[in-house]
């Protein structure tokens, strides 16, 4: 999504030694993402996800990690120059946390911002050290419930949850509430940003597109509130079409939606 919004974007990771690898690299590069930092790990299969979508457009995802589960600090070292010069790093929990934390430290040392989507949340939760190692945490309402023990249902709940996540050590917390919108709490203030009115048919990748829009806004130097609105517009538009990466909207589409309200 960030690449579709015109941001210089690179993917650090691994693919396997199977037939899926070439297709994965081709698709990633096809979206304008620098795929030169993808390592071919011939001792593993390429990671895949199986996605189910119900009649209401809601989704459930089964992840088979493959080569993604073998990411380690050597991958961080391999990408260190790119990481040191990055303005924003997007992280999740589909690769080993140790590697992600090493990448986060490298980016922050270079003055960049680390955005962490705690998904999928491990059964044991997220280790306490993670909260202070990232700048922004962006769980959805279900993930927030798994982290805090209580799932937010209302806008007030979402703001309270964002505050609670901040109290754990992350400077900024954004709680995504699907069709309701999202709440954020940060040193810049607190607010609830209502969702844009769109006709949703498929929620696959909406959260990822939200994060891509957020990263794009932050990399352009937008204030947090404006970056969150861009994220919300990007994620919202992704629900209006089927698919995952192919559902990411263009910069023109996002700008048009932002200007419409």
């Amino acid at each position: 999504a960030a690449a579709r919004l015109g941001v210089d974007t690179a993917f650090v990771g691994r693919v396997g030694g199977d037939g899926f690898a070439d297709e994965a690299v081709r698709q990633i590069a096809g979206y304008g993402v620098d795929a030169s930092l993808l390592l071919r790990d011939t001792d593993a299969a390429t990671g895949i996800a199986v996605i189910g979508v119900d009649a209401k457009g809601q989704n459930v995802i089964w992840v088979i990690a493959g080569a993604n589960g073998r990411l380690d600090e050597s991958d961080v070292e391999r990408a260190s120059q790119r990481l040191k010069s990055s303005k924003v790093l997007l992280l999740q929990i589909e690769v080993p946390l140790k590697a992600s934390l090493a990448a986060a430290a490298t980016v922050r040392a270079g003055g960049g911002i680390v955005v962490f989507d705690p998904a999928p949340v491990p059964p044991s939760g997220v280790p306490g050290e993670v909260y202070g190692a990232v700048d922004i945490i962006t769980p959805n309402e279900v993930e927030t419930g798994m982290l805090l023990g209580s799932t937010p249902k209302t806008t007030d709940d979402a703001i309270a949850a964002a505050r609670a996540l901040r109290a754990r050590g992350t400077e900024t917390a954004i709680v995504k509430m699907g069709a309701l919108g999202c709440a954020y709490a940060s040193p810049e203030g607190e607010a609830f940003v209502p969702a844009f009115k769109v006709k949703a048919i498929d929620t696959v990748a909406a959260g990822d597109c939200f994060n891509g829009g957020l990263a794009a806004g932050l990399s352009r130097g937008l204030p947090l509130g404006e970056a969150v609105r861009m994220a919300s517009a990007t994620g919202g538009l992704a629900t209006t079409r089927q698919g995952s990466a192919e559902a990411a909207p263009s910069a023109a589409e996002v700008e048009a939606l932002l200007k419409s309200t």
Side-chain angles (χ1 to χ4, degrees), residues 78-172:
R78 179 168 51 82
S80 61
Q81 292 305 309
R82 180 66 188 238
L83 291 168
K84 288 175 183 176
S85 63
S86 295
K87 293 182 179 180
V88 182
L89 171 67
L90 295 180
L91 296 174
Q92 30 62 41
I93 316 183
E94 292 183 12
V95 299
L97 200 52
K98 186 175 181 180
S100 290
L101 292 179
T106 301
V107 168
R108 294 178 93 186
I113 299 169
V114 177
V115 178
F116 175 58
D117 190 341
V121 177
S124 58
V126 172
E129 65 182 294
V130 175
Y131 293 94
V134 302
D135 299 292
I136 304 174
I137 189 168
T138 64
N140 63 25
E141 68 268 44
V142 174
E143 293 151 0
T144 298
M146 295 176 71
L147 294 173
L148 298 178
S150 178
T151 302
K153 302 292 185 182
T154 67
T155 58
D156 288 342
D157 289 346
I159 291 176
R163 287 186 198 131
L165 290 169
R166 278 199 74 207
R168 295 191 175 187
T170 305
E171 185 175 73
T172 297

Side-chain angles (χ1 to χ4, degrees), residues 11-15 21 24-26 28-29 34-41 68 75 78:
F11 195 118
V12 181
R14 298 190 187 195
V15 292
V25 173
R26 184 190 67 77
I28 289 168
D34 178 359
S36 64
L37 293 171
L38 278 171
L39 175 71
R40 184 181 287 268
D41 185 340
N68 291 328
D75 296 283
R78 179 168 51 82

Side-chain angles (χ1 to χ4, degrees), residues 162-252:
R163 287 186 198 131
L165 290 169
R166 278 199 74 207
R168 295 191 175 187
T170 305
E171 185 175 73
T172 297
I174 302 171
V175 175
K176 297 174 288 189
M177 297 286 288
L180 280 179
C182 64
Y184 68 84
S186 76
E188 298 176 32
E190 300 176 352
F192 191 90
V193 179
F196 288 87
K197 293 182 179 180
V198 297
K199 185 178 180 180
I201 62 170
D202 184 348
T203 60
V204 173
D208 294 326
C209 286
F210 179 101
N211 286 333
L214 180 66
L218 294 172
S219 70
R220 295 175 185 175
L222 295 181
L224 179 64
E226 292 183 31
V228 171
R229 284 193 78 244
M230 175 176 283
S232 182
T234 306
L237 285 168
T239 71
T240 65
R241 60 200 75 176
Q242 294 181 324
S244 51
E246 60 271 28
S250 67

